[in-house]
Amino acid sequence: MLLLAPLFALLGLACAAVAIPLDKADALAECLSKSAVPTDGLGSPDWQLDVAPFNLRLNFTPVGIAVPTTPKQVQDAVICAAKLGIKANAKCGGHSYGSFGLGGEDGHLTIEMDRMNKVVLNNATGIATVEGGSRLGHVAWELYNQGNRAFSHGTCPGVGVGGHSLHGGYGVSSHTKGLALDWMVGATVVLANSTIVNCSETENADLFWAIRGAGSSMGIVTEFRFKTFVVPDTVTFFVASVPWRTEAAALAGMKLVQDFAVNEMPAALNMRVFITTRFVNLEGLFYGDKAGLEAALGPLLKKTNATLALETQGGWLDQVKHFGNGVSVDQSHPYNYHETFYSSSLYTNALNETQLQAFVSYWFKSAKANKRDWYVQIDLHGGNSSAVTAPATHSTSYAHRDFLYMFLFYDRVDKGGAFPAEGFATIQNFVTNITAGIDSPSDWGQYINYPDPRMDQAAAQASYWGQHLPRLQAIKKAVDPDDVFHYPQGILPAA
Ligand SMILES: Cc1cc2nc3c(=O)[nH]c(=O)nc-3n(C[C@H](O)[C@H](O)[C@H](O)COP(=O)(O)OP(=O)(O)OC[C@H]3O[C@@H](n4cnc5c(N)ncnc54)[C@H](O)[C@@H]3O)c2cc1C
Ligand SMILES: *[C@@H]1O[C@H](CO)[C@@H](O)[C@H](O)[C@H]1NC(C)=O
Ligand SMILES: *[C@@H]1O[C@H](CO)[C@@H](O)[C@H](O)[C@H]1NC(C)=O
Ligand SMILES: *[C@@H]1O[C@H](CO)[C@@H](O)[C@H](O)[C@H]1NC(C)=O
Ligand SMILES: *[C@@H]1O[C@H](CO)[C@@H](O)[C@H](O)[C@H]1NC(C)=O
Ligand SMILES: *[C@@H]1O[C@H](CO)[C@@H](O)[C@H](O)[C@H]1NC(C)=O
Ligand SMILES: *[C@@H]1O[C@H](CO)[C@@H](O)[C@H](O)[C@H]1NC(C)=O
Ligand SMILES: *[C@@H]1O[C@H](CO)[C@@H](O)[C@H](O)[C@H]1NC(C)=O
């Protein structure tokens, strides 16, 4: 791009006057430069960093990378893209499993938001204003240090608050405190026609409904407003190992965990079943001390023959660090951690005997035998005491509140290695073997934040947004009729 700058200077072309662009990349670069939108130079160190997605299996080449530091620059970048017929996507933490922050395909304008990461807590109201490019670890760090506060969200410090809270946001606080999007009280959004608007329950309420579940398709959030809670003084994180070495033991164990999740699990306990080829754990976070955890979990541990391998009582940041898996908490630009993987997901209600049997049978007879490096994480998302299920299903566009389980299926290879066909099959067969025994498609769904990027757009929309899809498509038509913010699994405008 730099090489072409003198040519543009010579011709003095205004962006709007370029009838036939030399090519899109050059026209875009010129338009962004005319509006003084900062960009990454092609091939520069910042370009290399910003173009590298968390999932190295899915690399895409943008037609340009804008790096705004103000909402006005986001508006100007959207104007350039729309004018030139280029698709545009916000990228926040770059942690989409489908690399949707890069557009999920080549040739989009990436609007790299991660330089916009200011977090300010209003101590008097408890409302945090969080810029649209912040990463979760930075948000947690700032809220804790500015006022001993937090909101509920997932665990990886590098994940962006953008992708995370606009599509759900489930973590080790969610059974107690709900999803990240349940804490959002307002947002400032740049729409496809470059208008900037606020939305909340009382202002542009349709847009506010839509961004809490499908935000990536509706606009670019430059600033979020989240309510917060005062963090508990004491939390206890734990790992319990369960000896499920045979299919029969796993089936019996899963039934016990399911009964517990449905009937007994207190709101203060957050727990998942974590399954690999080599071991199975129950792990999570308890809002309270060790004695409280032992009272809540002890009976289940006894019945399942589980043993506590780790039980640590500490303060709020201790658990944030623990679940950050060794990555330091306060993450912002530059960020440079990656994996090479394929994933899929599933939400279901409690599984009956046949369905549990199908899952456990596939797990032991096929998946375990293939010796690949996969894991399955089963979050106990719902159940009668879960804060996730408390709001009405239709209160936000997140369609899958009422399901008991949130499964994540994940298969990875060593960094840089090619991803083999049997890795795809291993993951897909988990999903098909479980869903084969579920009669109605409305009795399961999938999570856009744990997407299966190999689904086509129609299947993806139905699976991620279920019964909320028609309303989302109508809102999409109102705010982005030309699908400027397109990506291969996004919401399409109503016909
Ligand atoms: C290591 C790891 C751990 C994870 N842990 C959890 C977890 O505990 N719980 C959980 O629920 N999920 C988890 N996830 C999934 C994560 O929530 C999603 O991948 C999320 O979409 C990532 O957001 P991002 O901003 O980092 O991604 P990006 O790739 O930057 O963006 C994802 C999508 O959001 C859009 N977007 C981003 N910012 C904005 C914005 N400001 N305005 C409008 N659209 C925007 C992008 O265009 C894209 O479509 C994890 C992912 C990884 C890789
Ligand atoms: C906010 O409140 C916390 C304690 O609740 C205090 O430590 C901090 O100094 C306050 N910050 C500001 C900016 O007032
Ligand atoms: C949106 O709300 C914020 C915070 O209340 C305010 O500062 C800003 O001016 C508003 N912007 C628009 C476009 O209304
Ligand atoms: C727990 O161990 C006992 C004694 O070995 C065994 O009878 C029981 O089946 C086990 N239960 C589970 C769920 O593994
Ligand atoms: C959940 O259900 C069980 C029994 O079905 C009941 O004992 C418990 O009180 C319920 N909890 C809540 C929060 O409703
Ligand atoms: C279940 O998994 C097996 C592989 O073990 C696969 O051959 C089969 O097609 C799957 N069943 C369904 C219903 O998808
Ligand atoms: C399990 O549920 C499926 C789908 O609703 C149903 O067809 C099947 O008969 C049920 N099996 C058992 C054992 O209840
Ligand atoms: C931009 O789009 C919004 C949403 O459809 C609409 O309300 C607004 O009037 C549009 N602004 C302009 C300048 O066209």
Side-chain angles (χ1 to χ4, degrees):
M1 297 316 101
L2 281 177
L3 287 177
L4 289 163
L7 175 64
F8 286 121
L10 197 67
L11 297 175
L13 296 176
C15 184
V18 183
I20 301 165
L22 296 177
D23 78 22
K24 285 207 169 171
D26 296 338
L28 179 63
E30 195 211 4
C31 183
L32 294 170
S33 150
K34 283 257 150 72
S35 305
V37 177
T39 55
D40 288 341
L42 181 62
S44 65
D46 271 345
W47 175 288
Q48 305 293 8
L49 204 57
D50 290 338
V51 84
F54 183 81
N55 186 358
L56 292 176
R57 190 177 67 76
L58 294 170
N59 284 291
F60 301 108
T61 306
V63 69
I65 304 180
V67 192
T69 56
T70 65
K72 171 76 166 63
Q73 291 171 355
V74 175
Q75 291 179 280
D76 287 338
V78 170
I79 289 174
C80 290
K83 203 177 275 180
L84 293 164
I86 292 169
K87 302 302 180 190
N89 308 89
K91 174 168 171 275
C92 179
H95 275 57
S96 162
Y97 292 6
S99 301
F100 296 145
L102 296 171
E105 60 194 13
D106 291 337
H108 290 215
L109 168 62
T110 299
I111 303 181
E112 172 59 78
M113 298 292 290
D114 80 346
R115 306 328 187 258
M116 292 177 66
N117 56 32
K118 223 183 293 123
V119 175
V120 178
L121 176 68
N122 180 327
N123 256 2
T125 61
I127 303 288
T129 56
V130 175
E131 279 192 309
S134 311
R135 295 174 192 270
L136 294 180
H138 178 61
V139 174
W141 182 257
E142 288 298 323
L143 296 184
Y144 180 79
N145 286 311
Q146 290 181 35
N148 204 35
R149 285 181 168 267
F151 64 87
S152 185
H153 56 71
T155 51
C156 178
V159 166
V161 73
H164 189 70
S165 72
L166 291 171
H167 305 101
Y170 188 91
V172 290
S173 287
S174 292
H175 196 260
T176 313
K177 296 284 188 182
L179 302 165
L181 57 75
D182 292 325
W183 291 83
M184 202 190 295
V185 293
T188 304
V189 188
V190 173
L191 300 176
N193 66 7
S194 83
T195 306
I196 189 158
V197 296
N198 280 331
C199 62
S200 67
E201 291 285 4
T202 54
E203 189 177 9
N204 296 307
D206 270 2
L207 179 66
F208 189 55
W209 178 84
I211 67 166
R212 287 172 298 156
S216 50
S217 292
M218 302 299 161
I220 298 187
V221 174
T222 56
E223 185 183 282
F224 294 95
R225 287 172 285 282
F226 291 102
K227 56 186 179 170
T228 58
F229 57 83
V230 175
V231 302
D233 291 337
T234 304
V235 292
T236 304
F237 47 90
F238 66 93
V239 176
S241 111
V242 283
W244 298 348
R245 295 199 184 83
T246 63
E247 208 177 309
L251 183 62
M254 278 300 300
K255 280 190 207 161
L256 292 166
V257 169
Q258 177 166 291
D259 286 346
F260 177 76
V262 171
N263 296 316
E264 286 168 50
M265 185 168 163
L269 181 61
N270 298 269
M271 189 166 76
R272 59 179 52 145
V273 184
F274 188 78
I275 301 168
T276 74
T277 50
R278 299 176 309 283
F279 61 85
V280 183
N281 289 335
L282 299 175
E283 53 185 46
L285 179 71
F286 182 72
Y287 273 59
D289 61 11
K290 279 187 184 184
L293 171 67
E294 284 161 19
L297 194 57
L300 178 69
L301 296 183
K302 197 159 180 213
K303 279 190 245 175
T304 55
N305 299 324
T307 45
L308 275 170
L310 172 83
E311 185 191 27
T312 305
Q313 183 175 311
W316 187 252
L317 275 191
D318 296 320
Q319 68 83 13
V320 174
K321 283 178 192 151
H322 168 72
F323 289 103
N325 284 326
V327 175
S328 69
V329 172
D330 187 9
Q331 290 294 330
S332 57
H333 180 86
Y335 179 91
N336 207 4
Y337 297 90
H338 311 274
E339 288 188 2
T340 299
F341 64 99
Y342 171 64
S343 70
S344 190
S345 60
L346 192 60
Y347 294 94
T348 72
N349 296 315
L351 297 173
N352 71 20
E353 178 81 24
T354 319
Q355 294 157 347
L356 270 180
Q357 178 73 60
F359 165 51
V360 172
S361 167
Y362 173 73
W363 158 15
F364 276 80
K365 292 199 177 73
S366 297
K368 210 172 150 82
N370 80 2
K371 304 274 191 281
R372 294 197 48 75
D373 185 15
W374 56 259
Y375 69 80
V376 177
Q377 183 178 290
I378 313 175
D379 273 301
L380 305 177
H381 167 270
N384 71 353
S385 64
S386 173
V388 176
T389 63
T393 309
H394 300 303
S395 60
T396 69
S397 61
Y398 181 82
H400 300 318
R401 248 179 224 291
D402 299 328
F403 286 117
L404 178 66
Y405 292 126
M406 176 196 262
F407 290 82
L408 165 64
F409 309 98
Y410 196 102
D411 183 304
R412 58 193 153 178
V413 297
D414 283 342
K415 210 169 277 182
F419 196 84
E422 66 265 28
F424 296 121
T426 301
I427 295 309
Q428 283 162 350
N429 283 331
F430 265 117
V431 176
T432 55
N433 273 273
I434 298 170
T435 55
I438 303 179
D439 291 338
S440 166
S442 65
D443 286 342
W444 59 278
Q446 288 171 293
Y447 181 32
I448 176 70
N449 270 348
Y450 296 156
D452 175 353
R454 287 162 74 92
M455 266 193 288
D456 69 29
Q457 194 159 11
Q461 290 179 89
S463 175
Y464 300 146
W465 292 291
Q467 57 187 327
H468 291 158
L469 185 58
R471 184 173 171 199
L472 282 169
Q473 290 178 330
I475 295 171
K476 171 78 171 177
K477 189 177 181 189
V479 296
D480 184 12
D482 300 326
D483 202 11
V484 172
F485 301 121
H486 177 87
Y487 62 96
Q489 297 196 330
I491 304 284
L492 289 170

